[in-house]
Amino acid sequence: MATEFEVYEHDVLVIGAGGAGLRAAIEAAGSCSVGVVCKSLLGKAHTVMAEGGMAASMGNVDDRDSWKVHFADTMRGGQYLNQWRMAELHAKEAPDRVRELEKWGALFDRTKDGRILQRNFGGHRYPRLAHVGDRTGLELIRTLQDHGIHQGIKFYMENTVVSLVKDGDRVVGAFGYDRERGRFKLWRAGAVVLATGGIGRAYKVTSNSWEYTGDGQALAYEAGAELMDMEFIQFHPTGMMWPPSVQGILVTEGVRGEGGILVNNQGKRFMFDDIPENYKSSTADKEEEGWRYVTGDKNARRPPELLTRDHVARCIRREVKAGRGSPHGGVFLDISWIKEKVPNAPEHIRKKLPSMYHQFKELAGIDITTEPMEVGPTTHYMMGGVRVDPDSQMTNVPGLFAAGEVAAGLHGANRLGGNSLSDLIVFGKRAGEHAAKWAKENGRGTVDQAALAAAEAASLKPFEFGGAAENPYRVQHDLQELMQDNVGIVRVEEEMKFAQDQLQLLKDRAAKVGISSHREYNPGWHTAIDLRNLLLVSEAVTMCAIERKESRGGHFRDDFPAKDEAYASFNLIVKKGEDGQMVMHRRPIPPMPDELKQVIEENK
Amino acid sequence: MPQATFRISRGDSATHGEFKDYAVEISEGMVVLDAVHLVQMVHAPDLAARWNCKAGKCGSCSAEINGMPRLMCMTRLSDLDLSVPVKIEPMKTFPRIKDLVTDVSWNFRVKEKIKKFKPRPADNADGTWNMAQRDVDRVQEFRKCIECFLCQDVCHVLRDHQKHDEFIGPRFIMWNAALEMHPLDTDDRLKELKDDNGLGYCNITKCCTKVCPEHIAITDNAIIPMKERVVDRYYDPLGWLWSKATGT
Ligand SMILES: Cc1cc2nc3c(=O)[nH]c(=O)nc-3n(C[C@H](O)[C@H](O)[C@H](O)COP(=O)(O)OP(=O)(O)OC[C@H]3O[C@@H](n4cnc5c(N)ncnc54)[C@H](O)[C@@H]3O)c2cc1C
Ligand code: SF4
Ligand code: SF4
Ligand code: FES
């Protein structure tokens, strides 16, 4: 098939218009021509949903905070599997990146003396999250969008990339289609930045949108890049449980940061029952101290509800399993109780948590200022992803960069809340800067037309099979159930082996899904294309989860419930082998410089 | 399980579009977007609709449900009369691409033309500013906007009179207001509001405020103050000079 494609040229092509993609584009646009491709309209990427805030040790609320404490918190939260260099850069650069947003028009909530207000979040020693009520992601994406549209960046909205284009080893562009008309396009570029986000749609209960089908991880993998830490998925402890149609939608950690407590069906505040050893010294052991903490008493320790997400999620599961759960299989999260402490509590809650108030009012018919919410774990965030160089964000494939949720390294085995939004702006900037530099030094490559034709043909396959063939939504649904039930929050070898076998069957089914009608804005077709990516990342997750025979951070094995030192010194890597099969190896964690070791020691 | 019928407008830019009925099983707590997803899964995989967050946060799923501009993900079936088919149509003010998806690119072009944020020099040596919460409160209200464009859809100046070339619509008058009232901004957009952006077309019907899913008081807090500022400046120039000179 000799097809004509629309061809566009840029120095840097950014795939993704969330926080990471936009920040990268803005940086690169300072020195070269930039295009941004995204699956949705501008301003709708996942980042818009972030609620609680972004972490940066500005010390506006507690001046004992510093990059060192933030670094140590991030490493402890990640169970020391983090790329320490990324954690270091992130902690050092986040404050400047946040302040810069203010220069571009962002309006954060203020302290009494007029500076950026910071709130408490799980695993952060001091109040550290710059925020705007509970809609911080909206503020971030809108600020970057409204600044970005004046930087000469070309936006390609509602376009989906289906493969990266290579010239020898090097990535020289991307190939995809526009959703509106279903026509194929080629974007030629000196460098490509992946900023495509996560993989949550591989699971049934998730806080993630349809976009999160692991496209970036799969694109990178197919282009020869290494994926790292794929076993580490964050299950956020508090997703909505009821009614069924809203199951999984996020309830921000900010609720607990403002004093919300977790109780079981006996009315017991169960989080006090199990406080991990390495957090004992920094966690309150009395309710009264916990309350003082959330109301700003600097001498108080944080309540156990603000322990790391992996731990809180497992405690909730334990309560449910022991029959102490709420009617719909979760536990209760109660913020209304603060009326005992705060005059005007309902108004205070509505002011601090406006979108949570509306979410429950409108979707569940519940008034959170007077009654508790029902919550339970939901698939939320991918710690793993494309392995990158910590300083430049370049992958092992020359010319291919990655930043944001699609990249791995900063968060190790478990991400702290608020560390993603700051990740986006710190490493988005770095990716943009280095991609621009790389593009200018290396120019454009040549494009292999045959590869494009093959990619197009593969994408159009579902039309050949037609509407009577396997339904793509059905396959997606079965995949989500499979992963939810077998490679979810609590894992055992047997179930994962089962999942591995089933994934092969699903792959066969996915290869034969069919679709009727034409290419114009056809979600069934889009789903069929996304399936390949979902299956690929599911396979990688399962493979790594089987290999890591211990429990650490987001990865919990019922058959190996303890942390095992033997697994503390490496990250798992998967990549495409010579024969096209997925292969895995252990990559030793580079030795940490003594200064950083000392920082961790000092902040134990 | 009980069933309900959804009468969905289908068609593309070339066709007029026709209603098709789809019956799906419904369960407790469902929203209209769930029903649309069920229709896609069971009856019509090619049914075009936008969505992202399913939680009222991204502003993608705007449509007209039984004639009312609303977010599909925030419209509960229990609030609708299910004894008759539920009508779902695309927004009328924008050209249809396919089924429930419309071409809203005009909005993005309009925004690009509005003068961008221009802050005063930083207050502090580290490049930061001091602002009181009460001064950011009113602009924060406007910045809650999720750009669902439902207010644009309902405004008669655009919907009935198709003044897209002369009038930027409530969303972007409010965007101007957000910049004008931003404690740090130093630019001035009143002349454009009056001459190019058609502020005068708005006759304060408040329909936009009524449909805003973010419950922003678009008319009272954004449009009327902008109208007042324009009046003070251009129709009461002495008053404007006086306040400029005295800083009141
Ligand atoms: C409900 C919720 C609340 C959260 N709250 C917080 C919080 O309070 N603090 C915090 O730090 N983190 C939070 N997170 C996590 C954080 O929001 C995300 O990790 C982060 O926004 C991801 O940003 P990103 O730039 O990497 O990707 P995204 O914002 O997801 O953007 C991905 C972009 O890639 C595009 N894309 C994907 N695939 C393709 C393709 N094939 N072709 C073209 N384009 C493509 C998409 O269209 C999109 O534009 C939250 C997450 C959720 C779901
Ligand atoms: S108040 Fe003005 S902007 Fe709003 S709908 Fe009426 S005419 Fe349109
Ligand atoms: S002002 Fe309200 S109705 Fe208008 S676009 Fe924004 S959120 Fe939507
Ligand atoms: S899907 Fe985001 S607002 Fe409805």
Side-chain angles (χ1 to χ4, degrees):
Chain A
M1 187 171 16
T3 338
E4 300 253 313
F5 311 117
E6 286 172 29
V7 183
Y8 301 92
E9 302 234 2
H10 293 285
D11 295 316
V12 172
L13 181 75
V14 179
I15 307 177
L22 289 172
R23 188 61 190 82
I26 289 170
E27 196 62 25
S31 63
C32 63
S33 135
V34 178
V36 174
V37 189
C38 54
K39 292 208 277 189
S40 293
L41 297 172
L42 203 50
K44 311 297 182 197
H46 223 79
T47 299
V48 78
M49 294 163 71
E51 296 164 352
M54 56 188 111
S57 61
M58 295 181 289
N60 289 355
V61 171
D62 193 322
D63 58 16
R64 290 172 297 181
D65 204 6
S66 69
W67 77 263
K68 292 180 175 174
V69 190
H70 192 182
F71 168 77
D73 286 351
T74 302
M75 293 297 294
R76 188 190 311 115
Q79 310 259 0
Y80 305 102
L81 288 191
N82 329 48
Q83 298 299 303
W84 48 262
R85 175 66 177 155
M86 284 178 82
E88 178 193 3
L89 289 170
H90 170 252
K92 282 181 174 164
E93 294 175 5
D96 278 346
R97 294 288 81 77
V98 172
R99 290 187 196 113
E100 170 180 80
L101 294 171
E102 208 153 72
K103 189 167 79 193
W104 298 339
L107 277 177
F108 293 101
D109 288 352
R110 318 305 298 178
T111 62
K112 288 213 172 63
D113 57 355
R115 297 191 293 166
I116 296 174
L117 182 60
Q118 300 185 268
R119 76 157 43 120
N120 288 311
F121 239 54
H124 293 283
R125 174 157 301 190
Y126 300 117
R128 188 175 284 148
L129 269 65
H131 61 276
V132 187
D134 52 7
R135 57 160 189 84
T136 313
L138 172 63
E139 191 69 13
L140 173 64
I141 202 164
R142 201 65 86 231
T143 300
L144 294 174
Q145 173 190 347
D146 294 337
H147 183 67
I149 57 176
H150 297 290
Q151 310 304 313
I153 299 163
K154 175 94 175 93
F155 292 97
Y156 304 87
M157 298 197 279
E158 298 199 305
N159 280 267
T160 303
V161 171
V162 296
S163 66
L164 295 174
V165 179
K166 288 185 78 178
D167 176 2
D169 278 348
R170 180 188 159 196
V171 165
V172 293
F175 184 67
Y177 65 90
D178 70 83
R179 304 172 79 78
E180 182 174 336
R181 297 165 310 155
R183 294 200 201 141
F184 284 85
K185 292 178 178 171
L186 166 66
W187 291 273
R188 296 187 54 192
V192 172
V193 180
L194 286 172
T196 51
I199 66 143
R201 294 310 283 186
Y203 289 82
K204 195 169 102 191
V205 179
T206 176
S207 63
N208 293 176
S209 83
W210 67 269
E211 293 198 314
Y212 266 26
T213 48
D215 294 9
Q217 289 85 348
L219 291 170
Y221 173 91
E222 294 293 351
E226 294 180 350
L227 305 183
M228 183 170 84
D229 292 339
M230 293 297 281
E231 68 274 34
F232 294 115
I233 294 173
Q234 178 164 82
F235 297 90
H236 194 289
T238 59
M240 287 178 84
M241 292 299 291
W242 190 258
S245 66
V246 300
Q247 206 186 9
I249 294 180
L250 194 77
V251 181
T252 175
E253 190 167 317
V255 175
R256 284 169 280 147
E258 297 295 340
I261 56 173
L262 290 166
V263 279
N264 63 21
N265 66 11
Q266 298 161 355
K268 181 165 197 266
R269 202 172 156 185
F270 58 84
M271 285 305 299
F272 282 102
D273 297 352
D274 176 10
I275 298 170
E277 224 23 74
N278 59 342
Y279 282 97
K280 277 230 160 88
S281 63
S282 55
T283 307
D285 49 14
K286 300 248 165 31
E287 301 195 3
E288 159 289 320
E289 184 179 1
W291 173 251
R292 279 196 284 120
Y293 177 87
V294 296
T295 48
D297 180 342
K298 293 184 180 171
N299 297 317
R301 294 169 301 173
R302 83 190 93 172
E305 274 86 0
L306 290 178
L307 285 163
T308 54
R309 289 177 176 177
D310 50 337
H311 179 74
V312 180
R314 276 194 299 279
C315 290
I316 292 177
R317 222 188 98 99
R318 180 194 67 212
E319 292 303 303
V320 176
K321 263 201 141 169
R324 296 189 293 266
S326 63
H328 302 104
V331 294
F332 298 104
L333 170 62
D334 189 12
I335 180 81
S336 70
W337 79 277
I338 68 170
K339 59 183 173 279
E340 295 166 20
K341 302 275 188 186
V342 192
N344 263 327
E347 198 187 306
H348 176 80
I349 294 168
R350 280 197 297 269
K351 169 88 195 104
K352 288 288 178 185
L353 303 161
S355 67
M356 280 305 105
Y357 174 77
H358 280 125
Q359 186 172 310
F360 274 89
K361 191 97 197 155
E362 286 168 35
L363 292 176
I366 282 178
D367 179 353
I368 66 168
T369 68
T370 60
E371 48 191 326
M373 307 158 238
E374 263 191 81
V375 296
T378 182
T379 314
H380 186 56
Y381 185 86
M382 185 55 176
M383 269 77 72
V386 186
R387 188 176 73 77
V388 291
D389 172 72
D391 288 82
S392 70
Q393 299 293 106
M394 187 149 97
T395 67
N396 58 302
V397 179
L400 181 64
F401 298 74
E405 190 169 341
V406 69
L410 170 59
H411 310 293
N414 175 54
R415 171 180 74 96
L416 298 185
N419 267 0
S420 169
L421 294 187
S422 42
D423 170 7
L424 308 183
I425 47 182
V426 167
F427 293 106
K429 175 182 187 287
R430 283 185 164 267
E433 180 184 325
H434 290 276
K437 190 161 164 270
W438 210 89
K440 278 180 283 184
E441 285 166 6
N442 294 278
R444 311 270 154 78
T446 46
V447 171
D448 172 5
Q449 294 292 333
L452 302 187
E456 183 187 23
S459 301
L460 292 174
K461 262 261 148 53
F463 287 107
E464 287 172 28
F465 293 117
E470 177 91 68
N471 177 333
Y473 290 104
R474 184 51 58 201
V475 180
Q476 189 187 48
H477 176 266
D478 291 351
L479 170 66
Q480 290 167 341
E481 294 231 299
L482 180 74
M483 292 300 285
Q484 184 78 29
D485 294 345
N486 299 289
V487 201
I489 180 165
V490 173
R491 302 164 173 179
V492 288
E493 186 105 2
E494 230 182 300
E495 291 176 356
M496 291 192 287
K497 286 263 166 68
F498 170 76
Q500 233 173 4
D501 295 340
Q502 293 295 311
L503 280 170
Q504 294 310 318
L505 301 180
L506 283 172
K507 263 197 203 165
D508 296 341
R509 284 173 61 194
K512 295 197 198 84
V513 294
I515 190 83
S516 62
S517 183
H518 47 75
R519 285 198 227 170
E520 272 96 62
Y521 221 111
N522 188 335
W525 179 41
H526 305 156
T527 302
I529 292 178
D530 295 345
L531 267 180
R532 297 185 302 211
N533 305 327
L534 272 180
L535 280 160
L536 195 146
V537 292
S538 299
E539 190 181 346
V541 168
T542 311
M543 188 182 240
C544 297
I546 291 174
E547 176 73 5
R548 189 169 281 279
K549 296 184 191 341
E550 64 154 355
S551 292
R552 187 184 289 269
H555 173 66
F556 185 81
R557 294 275 306 244
D558 226 6
D559 42 0
F560 299 97
K563 202 151 64 178
D564 182 349
E565 268 311 295
Y567 286 84
S569 58
F570 61 87
N571 301 95
L572 287 175
I573 304 273
V574 294
K575 64 173 186 192
K576 192 170 184 168
E578 300 283 302
D579 58 354
Q581 290 293 316
M582 190 176 281
V583 293
M584 178 171 52
H585 69 267
R586 297 175 172 194
R587 181 175 189 272
I589 296 174
M592 194 187 300
D594 290 340
E595 310 92 81
L596 292 181
K597 278 193 194 141
Q598 201 187 332
V599 169
I600 289 177
E601 209 41 54
E602 282 163 6
N603 292 287
K604 265 263 150 71
Chain B
M1 260 204 256
Q3 285 211 334
T5 302
F6 295 85
R7 182 161 290 171
I8 303 179
S9 171
R10 305 217 46 191
D12 55 33
S13 55
T15 59
H16 258 304
E18 56 183 68
F19 284 104
K20 286 214 174 114
D21 282 2
Y22 301 97
V24 293
E25 285 179 358
I26 58 166
S27 56
E28 193 179 340
M30 264 173 71
V31 293
V32 169
L33 185 62
D34 292 316
V36 168
H37 285 161
L38 277 179
V39 172
Q40 285 177 331
M41 194 157 170
V42 183
H43 302 291
D46 64 337
L47 169 65
R50 285 197 182 103
W51 71 284
N52 278 68
C53 67
K54 207 172 171 295
K57 295 198 166 75
C58 71
S60 301
C61 64
S62 308
E64 300 189 5
I65 301 165
N66 290 338
M68 273 297 290
R70 305 180 75 161
L71 297 176
M72 292 193 283
C73 71
M74 296 302 277
T75 307
R76 291 185 14 140
L77 297 186
S78 55
D79 295 336
L80 302 171
D81 177 5
L82 298 179
S83 65
V84 290
V86 176
K87 246 182 165 178
I88 315 176
E89 296 165 86
M91 289 192 282
K92 282 212 185 70
T93 296
F94 307 108
R96 169 160 27 202
I97 292 174
K98 191 179 150 201
D99 304 335
L100 301 176
V101 173
T102 54
D103 178 357
V104 291
S105 58
W106 171 78
N107 292 286
F108 292 93
R109 290 195 297 276
V110 166
K111 194 184 220 182
E112 251 179 71
K113 282 191 289 196
I114 297 168
K115 278 192 208 156
K116 67 178 185 197
F117 174 66
K118 195 167 140 198
R120 66 172 190 241
D123 298 342
N124 309 312
D126 63 356
T128 61
W129 288 268
N130 299 328
M131 288 179 263
Q133 182 63 42
R134 63 171 184 282
D135 294 332
V136 306
D137 271 343
R138 60 180 182 171
V139 182
Q140 280 184 337
E141 181 192 9
F142 305 149
R143 293 182 68 90
K144 285 196 310 196
C145 171
I146 56 175
E147 299 202 331
C148 64
F149 307 130
L150 287 171
C151 56
Q152 307 285 77
D153 182 43
V154 81
C155 176
H156 68 101
V157 183
L158 299 169
R159 189 184 181 92
D160 301 329
H161 305 289
Q162 296 287 319
K163 295 280 183 203
H164 293 67
D165 292 337
E166 295 158 66
F167 180 60
I168 58 175
R171 159 59 187 134
F172 296 109
I173 298 177
M174 186 177 87
W175 177 237
N176 272 288
L179 291 163
E180 288 292 298
M181 297 183 195
H182 194 298
L184 305 183
D185 185 72
T186 57
D187 220 327
D188 186 295
R189 299 165 188 82
L190 291 188
K191 186 172 186 319
E192 289 86 350
L193 263 176
K194 175 171 84 67
D195 295 340
D196 311 326
N197 297 340
L199 181 61
Y201 277 113
C202 164
N203 56 344
I204 322 190
T205 58
K206 301 201 184 185
C207 308
C208 50
T209 303
K210 274 183 220 122
V211 300
C212 177
E214 284 294 313
H215 310 289
I216 304 171
I218 308 172
T219 339
D220 287 350
N221 293 350
I223 299 181
I224 294 176
M226 285 302 103
K227 280 178 173 279
E228 285 170 354
R229 288 189 188 192
V230 165
V231 167
D232 285 352
R233 162 111 43 108
Y234 294 100
Y235 305 101
D236 180 14
L238 280 180
W240 176 65
L241 271 178
W242 171 253
S243 65
K244 221 181 141 99
T246 57
T248 52

